Amino acid sequence: MKVTLSVIKADIGGYVGHSSVHPRLLEVAEDSLRKARDKGIILDYHVTRVGDDLQLIMTHTKGVENGEIHRLAWDTFVEATEEAKRLKLYGAGQDLLSDAFSGNIKGLGPGTAEMEFEERPSEPVIIFMADKTSPGAWNLPLYKIFADPFNTPGLVIDPKMHDGFIFEVLDVYEHKRIKFSMPEELYDILILIGATEHYIIKAVYRKTDKEIAAVSSTQRLSMMAGRYVGKDDPVLIVRAQSGFPAVGEILEPFAYPHLVAGWMRGSHFGPLMPVAFHEANPSRFDGPPRVIAAGFQIANGKLIGPRDLFDDPAFDEAKRNANKIADYIRSMGPFEPHRLGLKEMEYTTLPDVLKKLKDRFEELH
Ligand code: F6R
Ligand code: MG
Ligand code: MG
C-alpha cells in the first residue's frame, strides 16, 4: 500500500509569548483533523506541538503536495488562529502570511515535510520537530545518520546500507538543487552543507533502490510580506530499520547538542537541546532551541504512536551539556558567534543605525 506522510506546521499564536501552544489550539486542530479523517480525506492524524509551533501529522493516499491536504492544513490553521485571536494569544496567525489559499501551502508561511512510500511489512518512522531554529539545523544530524560510520555502524556492517545514500541539497538563495552520492562525494558535500544557512539537505535516498529515507521541511526562501519565508522552525521525517538506520542510530547525533541558528529573536546561535514532549517549552532567553522526536509505527496508514523518543535518561547528559553550552555562549551577549552575522539576523537595526551615522564616517586615505 502506498502511503503519504505529511507533516505541516505553523506558529499561529504563542502561549505565553513565544514559549508554547495553548491547549485550546490543539483541541481545535484535533477536531478539524478528526472530521477530515471521518470524511475519508486522511487515513489518520496526530496533533502535537513543540514550543510555539502547532504540528499536524497526517497520513493519506493522495501523494505529496496535494491541494486537498494542503487546504485541510491551511483551514485548520485559520480556524485555530480564530481561537488564538479570541484568547489574544501572542502573535495570533503570525505564520499565515497570505489572506487566501491558492492550492499549495508552500511559500504561504507554514512549513511542510512530506514523503510517499510503499509501506513495508513494518514501517517505523521518526518525526523530529524543532523550535527556535531553522532547517539548516538538520544538516549535521543528517550527515551523521546517513554518512558517518562513527555514528551509524550500519553503514559499515549492514549489507543493505553498505552502498550508502544519496543526499539532495538545496541552495536556498539561488533556488537550485544538487544530488550527492555518499560516501564518494563526502569532501565535496561538506564544503557546502557546513554552511547551514545556505546549503540545506532536503532529502536522503537509499542508493541501491532510490527509496526515500528522510525529508526535511527545507524550502527555497521566498520574499513574502517583506520577509524571507521558509527559514522557520523545521521538521524532519526519517524512516528507520531494515535497511535504513536503526532508531538508535537516528537519535544518536542529538546526544551531542550542536549549535544552531535561531535562538532569541531568530538572531543567536545556541545548542539544540533534545527534550521530552512536556519539556518542549523554550523559556530561558526564549530558548535554548529544542527538538522533540515522535516515533510511530505506520500500520496500513494508521499512525501507531507516538512514542516520545527523547524521554530516556540516556539523553539527560545531552540536556546538561546543552545547558552548559548555553551558559557559556550566553556570556558573549551581542558578540558573534553568539549573535548571528549581520545578514542572517531576523531582527536588525543596522540600516537605521548606518543611516544615522552616515555623515560621521570619514574616508581613510
Ligand atoms: C520567536 C522568537 C522570540 C522572539 C522574541 C521577540 O520565535 O524567537 O525570541 O523573536 O520574543 O518577539 P516580539 O518581537 O514578537 O516581541
Ligand atoms: Mg511565535
Ligand atoms: Mg516557533
Side-chain angles (χ1 to χ4, degrees), residues 145-146 152 161 165 213 238-250:
I145 295 164
F146 291 102
T152 303
M161 285 168 54
F165 290 86
V238 187
R239 297 170 79 194
Q241 310 288 154
S242 311
F244 292 122
V247 165
E249 290 169 331
I250 295 167

Side-chain angles (χ1 to χ4, degrees), residues 11 14 18 52 94 132:
D11 174 352
H18 293 280
D52 56 5
Q94 73 164 56
K132 309 300 179 238

Side-chain angles (χ1 to χ4, degrees), residues 139-149 151-152 155 249 253 256:
N139 278 11
L140 190 152
L142 281 172
Y143 163 73
K144 283 189 172 176
I145 295 164
F146 291 102
D148 178 4
N151 180 89
T152 303
L155 295 166
E249 290 169 331
Y256 305 92

Side-chain angles (χ1 to χ4, degrees), residues 128-319:
F128 292 100
M129 294 160 270
D131 188 35
K132 309 300 179 238
T133 186
S134 58
W138 306 131
N139 278 11
L140 190 152
L142 281 172
Y143 163 73
K144 283 189 172 176
I145 295 164
F146 291 102
D148 178 4
F150 280 71
N151 180 89
T152 303
L155 295 166
V156 181
I157 61 177
D158 180 347
K160 294 202 233 55
M161 285 168 54
H162 194 72
D163 283 340
F165 290 86
I166 307 280
F167 282 54
E168 183 181 324
V169 174
L170 293 195
D171 178 332
V172 292
Y173 286 97
E174 298 294 323
H175 300 167
K176 287 184 178 159
R177 81 168 154 211
I178 177 169
K179 286 187 178 168
F180 288 95
S181 183
M182 301 286 273
E184 313 87 276
E185 297 188 290
L186 188 68
Y187 298 162
D188 285 344
I189 200 175
L190 280 173
I191 185 76
L192 303 183
I193 62 170
T196 55
E197 294 291 287
H198 196 129
Y199 296 97
I200 310 187
I201 302 167
K202 173 68 207 169
V204 180
Y205 304 87
R206 187 164 52 200
K207 200 186 294 170
T208 45
D209 54 5
K210 309 290 178 292
E211 218 17 61
I212 183 84
V215 68
S216 75
S217 57
T218 308
Q219 49 182 297
R220 53 181 266 184
L221 298 181
S222 37
M223 266 300 228
M224 273 217 57
R227 72 175 178 109
Y228 269 121
V229 181
K231 249 188 142 177
D232 207 29
D233 306 329
V235 296
L236 170 70
I237 306 173
V238 187
R239 297 170 79 194
Q241 310 288 154
S242 311
F244 292 122
V247 165
E249 290 169 331
I250 295 167
L251 299 176
E252 180 65 2
F254 298 93
Y256 305 92
H258 58 297
L259 291 172
V260 297
W263 196 359
M264 184 49 89
R265 298 179 184 275
S267 305
H268 292 79
F269 280 104
L272 185 61
M273 185 188 271
V275 293
F277 297 163
H278 72 278
E279 296 169 317
N281 310 296
S283 311
R284 178 190 174 186
F285 197 57
D286 289 356
R290 297 302 148 98
V291 57
I292 59 171
F296 293 93
Q297 291 288 151
I298 299 182
N300 306 312
K302 294 278 175 208
L303 288 161
I304 311 303
R307 263 228 57 231
D308 182 352
L309 292 168
F310 287 138
D311 181 12
D312 174 352
F315 286 98
D316 285 356
E317 213 50 36
K319 279 185 263 185

